[in-house]
Amino acid sequence: MKVISDASRILAALVLASALASPVNAIVVFEFNYLDAPGVGFNDFTQGADRRAGLSQAASYISGVLGPAYTATITLDVVGNQTNDTTLASASSNFNLPFPGNGFGSAGDVMLKILGGDAADPAPGVADGVVDWNFEDFSWEPLSDFQPGELDLISTATHEFTHALGFASDILQNGNSGFGDTPGNASAWSPFDEFVAFTDGSSIIDAGGVLDGAKWSAASIGGAGPAGLQFNGPNAVAAAGGPVYLYSPTTWLGGSSGSHLDTDFYQTGLGQIENMMNHEASVFEGLDIRQYTMIELGILKDIGYTQLVMMVPEPTSVLIVLAGISTCLGVRQRS
Ligand SMILES: [Zn+2]
């Protein structure tokens, strides 16, 4: 889920992402079932074609990142009837795998198919995930011809698809698992949850799948940056050059807490680069982030996409300009 930015955090950052990485040799194919009625949402008579093209462009970027090592056809059901006032869009994988045993094997259908091929589909013949868009409360630019007030559909679609890939925690607010197990008892969790960590970097859930309730209670609502949850996967930590912070505001925000990079920490105004997987759009209107940061590529590797193509943003193609300060993502991320 991605929510609209708080007005107080609207950034003056101008993000110029002149070129999406080319999806050469991409063989993970995304297919969309557009389920809106004729004239509605993605089947809008005027904008529908561009909206569908925007989703395809976001999918192509992800296919390119995954690279030629993976082969799968991912089918997503798409509707444009989201009406929650503050939610831009949402997407998720379906989960049809039976209980996989205690640990971190509770992967969604999307991830299972990308990592294991179409033969690994636990529910052949049905969609692997869902996408829901809010056209009611927001004005969207489906491609790149931005008008005042328009949000970036491609950026948000990339964000949402990334959740469907498995960039999401299964830990509920009370520390229970999705299988109903309580803290202190072993359960099955998502691959992402293996790396959800306490403020000292230690894992919240041990190798046997037992969640530490005290650590979770403290860090899940610990607040910004070092006060809250971390992601301790080795690739992500290496990319960040230190701790990676997950969004863990002092008031639990269902659907956002634990499953995003920390919007309260990764802000250009605080001297940090922003990320695709912050829980908020980085700009209130106009072109938004359309590429992963190295931290996000590290997270995707950590959760299982070990063969992905580490596409370092081109220094000349991605610039963040803020109050006269230019930060090159590529240079920063190699440091
Ligand atoms: Zn999100």
Side-chain angles (χ1 to χ4, degrees):
M1 181 162 66
K2 197 165 193 180
V3 299
I4 188 67
S5 175
D6 184 295
S8 67
R9 294 205 200 94
I10 295 170
L11 296 173
L14 173 63
V15 180
L16 301 172
S18 66
L20 293 171
S22 173
V24 176
N25 296 327
I27 40 183
V28 171
V29 175
F30 289 84
E31 294 186 349
F32 301 108
N33 297 327
Y34 291 105
L35 303 180
D36 290 315
V40 174
F42 286 94
N43 291 326
D44 183 271
F45 295 133
T46 305
Q47 297 194 56
D50 282 350
R51 289 170 176 176
R52 297 191 296 272
L55 282 201
S56 292
Q57 190 168 324
S60 291
Y61 169 70
I62 289 177
S63 294
V65 170
L66 291 169
Y70 300 108
T71 303
T73 300
I74 304 301
T75 305
L76 301 175
D77 283 341
V78 181
V79 290
N81 61 9
Q82 173 66 251
T83 56
N84 183 326
D85 290 350
T86 60
T87 299
L88 300 176
S90 62
S92 60
S93 178
N94 291 332
F95 284 77
N96 284 299
L97 196 68
F99 183 77
N102 297 324
F104 304 99
S106 183
D109 297 14
V110 172
M111 178 181 249
L112 290 169
K113 288 180 71 175
I114 295 173
L115 295 181
D118 289 348
D121 190 346
V126 300
D128 305 307
V130 296
V131 179
D132 194 355
W133 216 269
N134 187 337
F135 289 112
E136 179 188 75
D137 297 302
F138 301 99
S139 177
W140 293 94
E141 166 50 42
L143 297 170
S144 297
D145 179 24
F146 288 96
Q147 306 302 314
E150 289 183 338
L151 292 164
D152 188 339
L153 182 144
I154 291 172
S155 171
T156 296
T158 308
H159 175 105
E160 301 304 339
F161 294 161
T162 307
H163 284 312
L165 255 55
F167 194 115
S169 171
D170 286 350
I171 307 174
L172 302 181
Q173 180 178 4
N174 61 6
N176 286 8
S177 78
F179 293 95
D181 296 306
T182 55
N185 296 294
S187 193
W189 311 87
S190 72
F192 185 95
D193 285 327
E194 181 175 359
F195 306 105
V196 174
F198 187 56
T199 55
D200 62 0
S202 63
S203 295
I204 297 275
I205 303 172
D206 70 18
V210 178
L211 180 140
D212 184 319
K215 285 184 178 179
W216 175 254
S217 295
S220 63
I221 51 170
L229 294 171
Q230 296 183 17
F231 185 94
N232 68 6
N235 290 291
V237 171
V244 173
Y245 302 115
L246 296 177
Y247 185 55
S248 31
T250 53
T251 299
W252 177 264
L253 193 54
S256 290
S257 291
S259 291
H260 292 88
L261 288 166
D262 190 355
T263 315
D264 295 331
F265 179 81
Y266 298 108
Q267 296 180 34
T268 51
L270 298 178
Q272 299 288 334
I273 59 168
E274 295 192 80
N275 303 284
M276 168 79 72
M277 296 311 292
N278 284 8
H279 95 290
E280 293 176 333
S282 74
V283 294
F284 188 68
E285 60 181 340
L287 185 64
D288 205 339
I289 296 169
R290 291 181 171 184
Q291 293 182 318
Y292 295 130
T293 61
M294 291 301 282
I295 292 174
E296 291 160 329
L297 292 170
I299 289 174
L300 289 172
K301 283 191 90 167
D302 286 326
I303 67 175
Y305 298 104
T306 57
Q307 305 302 308
L308 63 75
V309 179
M310 298 292 280
M311 293 191 294
V312 179
E314 291 289 332
T316 53
S317 68
V318 179
L319 300 169
I320 292 180
V321 182
L322 178 67
I325 301 170
S326 296
T327 303
C328 169
L329 291 178
V331 169
R332 180 183 185 86
Q333 290 164 343
R334 288 192 201 98
S335 63

